[in-house]
Amino acid sequence: MQIKTEQIVREPNASSAQLRSQGLLFVLSAPSGTGKDSVIQELKAQGLDFHVVASVTTRPMRPGESEGNPYHFISKEQFEEMIEQDELLEHALVHGNWYGQPLQPIRDNLRVGRDVLLKIDVQGAATVRRKLPGAIFIFLVPGSVEELVIRLTARQTETEEERERRLNDARVELAQQDQYDYVIVNRQNQLKEAAECLRAIMRAEHCRTYPRLVTL
Ligand code: 5GP
C-alpha cells in the first residue's frame, strides 16, 4: 500500500468548498507527562468531534489499560508484519518500545470529512512531515522542566529508571519544537487555556481559504 503525498497550495481547479469536504490531519507531539491526553479529553468533553488514532505498540499493557485503550497491544512479530505490509503511516522506537500509526483508520476518517489527530513523538512527526507535508504540526510544552518532573513523579506509572529516561528524552524533544507549526504551553493548573489554544488552532485551520490537506 503506497502513500501518495500531496500538498494543496493554490489549486486553480478545486474550489475552496470542495477542499473543505475532507478532514484535516493534525499531529500533536509532547514530551511524556506534558498532559496531551488531558488536553484532548478536555476538547472531547467540550463536544469537539475529531478522531484520535489508537497506535499499535509492543509496549506491555499497564494497569487500567485494555486492548484498544489507549493502544492496540501487539507482538514484535505482528508489528514487523504491519511494517512489511505497509499498514503503518509511521513507526518509531520510543522509550525502548515500538509504536506506530495504522493507516486505515486515518484514511477512513479523513475521507468522511472527520479531522484526525495523531499523538506521536518527534521522530514520528518528522516522518509524517516528510510524507504528508499538508498535515498540521502542533507541539505541547510544559510550563517548565520542573513542572514536568512533578507530573511524571506524581502519576507513578513508571519506575525511577523509566522516569529518568523519559526526562532525558523530554529535553531532546523540547529542543525540536521549532520544527512545528504551533507551540502550546500547558502550564500547571491551566489545562483549559491549553485546550482553548488547541481548539482555536483547529478552527482557524478550517477557515483557511485553501485548507492544508493530505492525500492518503
Ligand atoms: P506511553 O507509552 O507513555 O503511552 O507513550 C510514550 C510515547 O510514545 C509518547 O511520547 C507518545 O507520543 C509516543 N507515541 C505513542 N503512540 C505513538 C505512535 O504511534 N508513533 C510514535 N512515533 N510515537 C507514539
Side-chain angles (χ1 to χ4, degrees):
M1 207 183 296
Q2 262 206 334
I3 297 160
K4 224 177 95 198
T5 303
E6 186 185 320
Q7 186 177 22
I8 304 290
V9 192
R10 291 240 160 204
E11 178 66 79
N13 295 325
S15 74
S16 56
Q18 269 174 323
L19 295 176
R20 280 179 219 291
S21 61
Q22 195 189 304
L24 302 183
L25 182 63
F26 294 93
V27 173
L28 180 67
S29 300
S32 189
T34 306
K36 57 181 176 301
D37 290 318
S38 308
V39 172
I40 291 168
Q41 272 168 21
E42 175 66 26
L43 285 194
K44 290 269 184 194
Q46 291 175 14
L48 212 67
D49 181 40
F50 58 95
H51 181 73
V52 182
V53 180
S55 317
V56 291
T57 184
T58 61
R59 160 164 93 56
M61 210 183 271
R62 292 181 190 142
E65 294 180 336
S66 56
E67 168 48 30
N69 173 39
Y71 299 131
H72 298 291
F73 297 91
I74 62 174
S75 68
K76 185 82 198 303
E77 290 70 32
Q78 287 172 308
F79 197 92
E80 281 165 0
E81 200 184 317
M82 288 189 82
I83 296 173
E84 217 164 280
Q85 300 292 321
D86 268 338
E87 290 175 14
L88 298 180
L89 171 60
E90 62 76 36
H91 63 277
L93 188 64
V94 189
H95 314 310
N97 296 298
W98 288 101
Y99 296 84
Q101 287 289 308
L103 261 171
Q104 205 55 48
I106 303 174
R107 189 179 277 137
D108 292 346
N109 279 279
L110 290 178
R111 267 192 201 147
V112 297
R114 197 165 183 219
D115 289 348
V116 171
L117 186 120
L118 311 183
K119 287 190 304 170
I120 56 179
D121 83 321
V122 292
Q123 307 171 75
T127 305
V128 178
R129 199 175 290 117
R130 186 168 43 76
K131 286 182 167 176
L132 303 172
I136 299 134
F137 297 87
I138 306 165
F139 197 86
L140 188 71
V141 298
S144 64
V145 174
E146 289 69 34
E147 279 185 17
L148 201 59
V149 176
I150 293 168
R151 279 189 218 159
L152 274 177
T153 312
R155 72 182 192 183
Q156 293 190 319
T157 47
E158 289 86 13
T159 62
E160 196 168 338
E161 192 187 329
E162 279 168 351
R163 201 160 55 231
E164 273 312 306
R165 179 182 198 156
R166 280 170 188 252
L167 274 174
N168 285 334
D169 289 349
R171 291 189 180 94
V172 175
E173 288 183 299
L174 284 168
Q176 296 184 48
Q177 55 186 275
D178 60 353
Q179 306 286 317
Y180 288 71
D181 298 310
Y182 298 96
V183 175
I184 301 174
V185 185
N186 186 22
R187 292 194 179 80
Q188 194 73 24
N189 304 322
Q190 293 187 20
L191 176 68
K192 284 205 186 309
E193 284 77 357
E196 195 41 50
C197 284
L198 182 55
R199 190 187 178 102
I201 291 166
M202 293 174 92
R203 285 193 78 163
E205 287 292 338
H206 274 280
C207 295
R208 278 187 190 271
T209 317
Y210 290 92
R212 289 168 61 164
L213 297 183
V214 297
T215 304
L216 274 174

